[in-house]
Amino acid sequence: MKETPVLSSAEKKELRLKRIYLLLPLLSLALLFLLWILAATGTNKDSFPSPLAVWERFLLIMKRPVKDYTIFGHVLQSLRRIFSTLVVAWITGISFGVLTGWNRKADALLSPLFTAFRSVPPLAWIPLITIWFGTGEGSQMLIVYTGCIASIVVNTQAGLKNVAKMYLDVGTVFNASSRQMLFQIAIPSALDAVFAGVRTSTSAAWMVVLAAEMLGGKSGVGFLIVRGMDSLDLPLVLMSMIFIGVVGAMLAVLTQIVEGVLCPWTRKKSA
Amino acid sequence: MKETKYKVEVDSLTKYFGSLHVLDNISFQVRNGEFICVVGPTGCGKTTFLNLLTRIYQPTRGDLYIDGQSANPKKHNIAFVFQEPSSIPWMTVEKNLRFGMEIKKLPKAEIDGRVERIIKLLGLQDFRDSYPHQLSVSSEQRIIIGRAFAMNPDLLLMDEPYGQMDVKLRFYLEDEVIRLWQELGSTVVFITHNIEEAVYLAQRILIMSNKPTTIKEEVSVDLPRPRDVADPRFIEIRKHVTDQIKWW
């Protein structure tokens, strides 16, 4: 005979709550969809495309690409753009962050410069960059760079400034050289902070790349949105927006997974 | 270099911080392979004393000699077990054990051999690839103790390593330390405020006074091991040490 577990009323309540918490996010998604349908009916029909219209637009762009690319092609173009920039930003940003976070003289000399640069929002660079370098691939990457460099530098810097004294003491006791202190103690202990920087810089890059592509780009989701706006193709605009949101969320999850693989000790105890 | 039969000699160690007189004329000797406990009231300058031994501070007067030479962390091998768990979270158990020796750039074969021995002694075979946060508190502390013993230190300093642990764990880890010490023959100075622990572990107990700290008395404990905390002689020594700490 199967044993039926006896649950106290508190346990039952907990179980019920658990189910509710699983359900609520789905409910909110359904609500969003419902709102969308409502917004797209009646007099709004022309200015707010319905889910069906967006779906049809999606099928159309898969059949008839815009400027040689389907929607996935444009997403890939944008991704290529941000990742080739991010690699450069990570290398330069982490080096700069380590230098200024670890060496107090370098910090005193270089950090004010960096702070001055950082207090200008990245988008404010667009006019100058466009005038100097045009709207080509290089300028777009430069704009993305200005948008994502700050978060990686700031996080790396903070990580190296806040190395727990305990670990440094361990190094001192074993008589580690200053080189060993940096590479075997300080940098590894700052890795989770560096990864926080990698995560935020990735999402920042994904935001800024849209702005860069909107200005005379020839490909990418930012370009696609502007194309939709120019030709009053609202389903195209909305579809691009949805793709931007989904890809952004996927990037966040992806960077988290990569962090878990590269720094297993940052995973929670329960894992 | 002076001729000596002692492993460690502390010679009239005195420390002032400005006008604050913290340590006063501390002298004692430790034989090679001896296990010494230092007990004293809280705030008696134990930390300062340790920091002098590790050369984080320089003494105002007096000096510390290892094998007859003024102690020098570059030449001598002083290992330290901190009060707080100080295993390195981004390294596995095995890497934690290797860490100190790798910093000192010992030959790989030597490191391999010592690490295997320590892992076996501590029974950590199943955990060598685990990270410290995956282990229990007691296993984590064992890693740190193993890491210190693995250095084959000239002098192993332990600063209340079991201060935060419950009674059962403490007994267990105390036996572990004794086992490692007997097996590897290291020279240990163990600081504690727990008198029973001191009597249980030490061959000799140094009782410290209040500030300015000096050594009030040396008590040698010649009870056989494993020691029995209920043995009348054990209780007698414990009572004596307690009285010495209580009455100034």
Side-chain angles (χ1 to χ4, degrees), chain A residues 166-167 169-177 180 184-186 188-189 264-269 271, chain B residues 56 73-74 78-80 82 84 86-91 99-100 102-105 131 133 147 151:
Chain A
M166 169 57 64
Y167 304 136
D169 281 347
V170 171
T172 309
V173 164
F174 287 127
N175 196 28
S177 66
Q180 287 170 325
Q184 297 193 32
I185 295 178
S189 90
W265 61 91
T266 58
R267 270 181 259 166
K268 286 277 175 294
K269 281 190 185 213
Chain B
I56 289 173
K74 293 213 163 38
I78 302 174
F80 198 110
F82 293 90
E84 310 86 48
S86 61
S87 62
I88 298 193
W90 58 89
M91 295 183 185
F99 179 68
E102 279 175 353
I103 290 278
K104 295 247 175 198
K105 300 209 170 90
Y131 287 92
H133 74 254
R147 185 175 73 191
M151 299 297 291

Side-chain angles (χ1 to χ4, degrees), chain A residues 14 16 19 26 29 33 40 42 44 51 86 117 158 189 202 225 240 252 267 271:
Chain A
E14 200 179 322
R16 209 163 54 229
R19 285 192 198 129
L26 294 177
L29 276 182
F33 201 70
N44 288 340
L86 276 172
F117 165 81
S189 90
T202 307
I225 278 199
S240 308
R267 270 181 259 166

